[in-house]
Amino acid sequence: MTAHPRPEILLVSKPVAPPWNDSSKNLVKDLALSGERYRYRVLTPRQGGMPASRGPTVGQDPIYRDGGRFAPALSQNLRVFRRLLAADDAVLTHFFFAPNPRAAIAARLASLWRPRRTVQTVCSTPATFHRPQRLLFAERIIVLSRHTYQRFLDAGVAPHRLVHIPPGIQLPAVPCPEQRLATRRALAIPREARVAVFPGDYLFSDAAKTFARALVPFRGQDVFFVFACRVKNRASRAAEATIDGELRAAGVRGQALLLDEVPGILELLHACDACALPSESLYAKMDVPLVLLEALALGLPLVVADAPPLDELRTAPRGRVRTTPPQDGPALAAALEA
């Protein structure tokens, strides 16, 4: 194998490829493209992987057939396992995924065959903190929120294994005003409306319902709400239909847009005036969803639930983040108005 002047780190994750709609693989992409001290190797599909990289700092292993689904298929996991067994120049392997026992067992078995120094980033809070040794296998465990750090400590994980590092993003370029208007035209968003966006999920919390109920006090006003929620399965589709029915019953369906896949989330954010994620639970999402950091970087104020770990965003500068009680539509409406 050819030695590189920079030490190489293997980043293990879902396929690092468009669409960029998953915080865990977006974190890998941004880390790989921003790093300067190391050469990063990422796992991609055979076609349509990473964007153009900066010189020799990023290498791609096209082990996947395609970009995959929200929940990785067994065939994807087997391809990752086979890659971990292969010889390479990596000085360290860094895993990025939601912790689960099956993945932990596979990583331990691979390390027995080919010993590696390992780091594991816990990309989303586990369903339970009972018996965390089933989920954690690496020498060092990176958590993205103080909340998850404390939960693992309380569950008995040794402090020397845990490191709290808040997630980061590559700062996006701010679109021009013409692009903002073009996005509104393309999505049929009223040109002069005050627009709030919910970049969340229909499942795992009442946040989408709370956002829908916050629109009711604005009935008849020049206010527009955008639901940027991926429909991942039948349960998501049913939840979307419920939201649609509630909006119609309240007489505000004409002031709302229910999107599914969003091809350009940065363009959508820039076309809006505020961002809301009133989620009492972030199960199956990153502890600090990267879309919220992107919204802040584009100048949007945030309204989030006063619940961990979202309440950790209150440290954002210049009072750009407000918190409201979970499941309280009128309070959310008042915060958005403010």
Side-chain angles (χ1 to χ4, degrees):
M1 294 188 177
T2 303
H4 297 284
R6 297 179 177 87
E8 185 168 88
I9 296 177
L10 176 64
L11 305 181
V12 179
S13 69
K14 297 176 183 178
V16 183
W20 304 111
N21 56 9
D22 184 291
S23 281
S24 64
K25 68 179 182 181
N26 289 0
L27 184 61
V28 172
K29 169 179 68 70
D30 286 355
L31 172 62
L33 291 177
S34 300
E36 297 179 350
R37 293 179 56 192
Y38 301 94
R39 173 179 168 83
Y40 294 97
R41 184 159 292 279
V42 301
L43 307 183
T44 63
R46 294 170 184 171
Q47 295 181 340
M50 286 274 288
S53 64
R54 300 187 315 168
T57 61
V58 182
Q60 303 187 45
D61 281 6
I63 69 167
Y64 293 114
R65 289 182 177 176
D66 52 41
R69 301 189 299 274
F70 174 71
L74 178 60
S75 60
Q76 279 194 348
N77 294 331
L78 291 175
R79 289 172 183 274
V80 172
F81 184 69
R82 186 170 62 182
R83 173 61 183 85
L84 292 176
L85 298 180
D88 56 34
D89 294 326
V91 298
L92 182 143
T93 302
H94 191 161
F95 297 83
F96 294 79
F97 46 73
N100 65 84
R102 185 174 64 183
I105 291 171
R108 291 192 187 100
L109 290 174
S111 294
L112 289 175
W113 175 261
R114 186 167 298 285
R116 300 170 177 267
R117 300 203 69 181
T118 53
V119 172
Q120 178 183 2
T121 289
V122 178
C123 288
S124 60
T125 303
T128 176
F129 286 85
H130 178 61
R131 295 175 60 194
Q133 64 273 16
R134 299 178 306 152
L135 309 174
L136 308 179
F137 56 86
E139 299 169 59
R140 292 291 186 272
I141 311 299
I142 296 175
V143 294
L144 305 178
S145 68
R146 293 189 297 273
H147 172 69
T148 298
Y149 181 89
Q150 189 61 50
R151 292 293 301 275
F152 275 131
L153 281 181
D154 294 342
V157 178
H160 75 271
R161 293 183 67 195
L162 290 170
V163 183
H164 169 222
I165 305 177
I169 60 170
Q170 285 192 308
L171 291 177
V174 178
C176 65
E178 290 76 16
Q179 289 175 296
R180 172 183 168 95
L181 292 177
T183 300
R184 288 199 172 195
R185 283 196 301 270
L187 296 175
I189 297 174
R191 178 188 176 100
E192 302 298 331
R194 293 177 293 163
V195 182
V197 59
F198 169 68
D201 201 301
Y202 286 123
L203 303 178
F204 310 122
S205 81
D206 287 332
K209 291 182 179 179
T210 302
F211 187 65
R213 290 163 187 166
L215 180 56
V216 177
F218 298 109
R219 182 171 51 225
Q221 300 181 36
D222 201 11
V223 173
F224 200 82
F225 277 21
V226 178
F227 293 76
C229 306
R230 275 185 295 162
V231 176
K232 303 167 184 174
N233 49 39
R234 291 182 179 178
S236 293
R237 183 65 69 190
E240 181 188 50
T242 299
I243 295 294
D244 183 271
E246 289 192 5
L247 294 171
R248 293 181 186 279
V252 293
R253 182 62 180 87
Q255 294 173 239
L257 174 64
L258 275 61
L259 294 176
D260 185 352
E261 194 73 52
V262 179
I265 187 63
L266 295 178
E267 290 79 6
L268 174 61
L269 290 173
H270 188 246
C272 298
D273 302 296
C275 179
L277 191 66
S279 301
E280 73 277 11
S281 169
L282 286 181
Y283 178 70
K285 296 185 74 66
M286 186 170 278
D287 276 18
V288 182
L290 298 187
V291 67
L292 300 185
L293 304 184
E294 291 167 339
L296 283 173
L298 291 172
L300 272 72
L302 300 183
V303 182
V304 298
D306 189 11
L310 284 175
D311 57 358
E312 295 177 23
L313 286 168
R314 284 183 296 201
T315 59
R318 300 188 301 276
R320 296 291 301 282
V321 179
R322 290 175 179 260
T323 59
T324 60
Q327 301 170 317
D328 190 333
L332 176 59
L336 288 171
E337 177 68 25

